[in-house]
Amino acid sequence: DAGVTQSPTHLIKTRGQQVTLRCSPKSGHDTVSWYQQALGQGPQFIFQYYEEEERQRGNFPDRFSGHQFPNYSSELNVNALLLGDSALYLCASSSFGRGAEKLFFGSGTQLSVL
Amino acid sequence: AQSVTQPDIHITVSEGASLELRCNYSYGATPYLFWYVQSPGQGLQLLLKYFSGDTLVQGIKGFEAEFKRSQSSFNLRKPSVHWSDAAEYFCAVGRTTSGTYKYIFGTGTRLKVLA
């Protein structure tokens, strides 16, 4: 049973470019959340997808957008990259309606913006 | 606003010594509380969680945590630390909005273990 998988593991971009990160949830899960973890900080909630819709959003600008596909996998898109977008991006999956069920995290995508 | 505070940025203990990592939260309702561990370059692994009931919860790897409502705390403990416990530890509170949940994390405590 595969856990949460993210791709790519590492990515280097330059300012102003656009990036797409991908996530496949754990088998049996239908909800995907994205978190940004800057160096030396705790993860910060970006947004959550369920039934292909954004259900919650954290305090992130519109440059951050997402998508969920019918197979529950998800993408995180960041436009007009800034140096401050350099971080570890974590995807977490869960089952909707299970309450505060624990999240299963992937190993993350390390994004460096030069 | 909901928040989680981990007052210790770094902690160093000797192998075999006891450990306590502090976590304080601010939340208007009964919180759902979690402790996660992160090794370098890795994702987060759940150590334990508290939803309700017994305020002392047991987790994996010999960790336990105690929920104290009066102190708004959820401190993580381990009686004897192993070198492999060196990692970063995050406390989190689960917040519900319209039936969905998101987690608010603290800034983490980095644990160093001396041989």
Side-chain angles (χ1 to χ4, degrees):
Chain A
D1 176 25
V4 180
T5 58
Q6 293 187 243
S7 63
T9 55
H10 296 84
L11 205 52
I12 300 175
K13 293 286 189 178
T14 57
R15 282 179 298 172
Q17 285 189 311
Q18 179 265 344
V19 68
T20 297
L21 310 181
R22 295 176 176 83
C23 171
S24 294
K26 179 179 169 62
S27 177
H29 285 180
D30 55 13
T31 302
V32 173
S33 303
W34 287 91
Y35 288 79
Q36 180 196 65
Q37 186 178 15
L39 190 63
Q41 299 296 316
Q44 292 203 345
F45 177 77
I46 303 175
F47 43 54
Q48 182 182 79
Y49 277 84
Y50 169 68
E51 289 187 332
E52 304 178 46
E53 291 186 7
E54 184 182 290
R55 297 290 176 157
Q56 282 199 72
R57 188 178 184 90
N59 189 25
F60 280 81
D62 291 344
R63 298 186 298 109
F64 289 77
S65 63
H67 188 77
Q68 186 179 35
F69 299 94
N71 67 352
Y72 308 122
S73 67
S74 177
E75 290 182 348
L76 164 65
N77 301 291
V78 186
N79 294 321
L81 284 168
L82 304 174
L83 296 179
D85 295 331
S86 295
L88 179 68
Y89 288 84
L90 295 166
C91 170
S93 73
S94 57
S95 293
F96 187 84
R98 292 289 300 274
E101 188 70 16
K102 64 181 180 181
L103 300 181
F104 287 81
F105 284 86
S107 298
T109 294
Q110 184 66 55
L111 173 64
S112 299
V113 182
L114 306 178
Chain B
Q2 293 82 3
S3 64
V4 176
T5 302
Q6 294 181 248
D8 303 306
I9 298 174
H10 295 96
I11 282 185
T12 301
V13 299
S14 298
E15 191 171 18
S18 64
L19 171 70
E20 182 170 27
L21 302 182
R22 296 183 291 166
C23 173
N24 293 96
Y25 66 89
S26 172
Y27 192 72
T30 301
Y32 297 107
L33 295 162
F34 307 82
W35 274 100
Y36 280 86
V37 61
Q38 185 178 39
S39 297
Q42 298 298 310
L44 299 168
Q45 181 184 22
L46 179 70
L47 288 175
L48 47 78
K49 61 183 186 288
Y50 171 78
F51 287 175
S52 64
D54 192 348
T55 56
L56 184 63
V57 294
Q58 303 296 321
I60 62 171
K61 304 184 179 184
F63 286 93
E64 66 177 26
E66 185 171 14
F67 170 60
K68 293 185 177 180
R69 184 187 302 275
S70 61
Q71 299 177 18
S72 297
S73 69
F74 188 57
N75 294 348
L76 182 71
R77 301 194 294 249
K78 187 170 185 177
S80 179
V81 171
H82 188 263
W83 64 266
S84 61
D85 293 325
E88 187 140 27
Y89 292 80
F90 292 94
C91 181
V93 60
R95 174 186 172 185
T96 179
T97 301
S98 301
T100 63
Y101 284 85
K102 70 176 185 182
Y103 288 16
I104 299 169
F105 286 85
T107 52
T109 297
R110 183 169 296 279
L111 174 65
K112 182 178 179 179
V113 180
L114 301 177

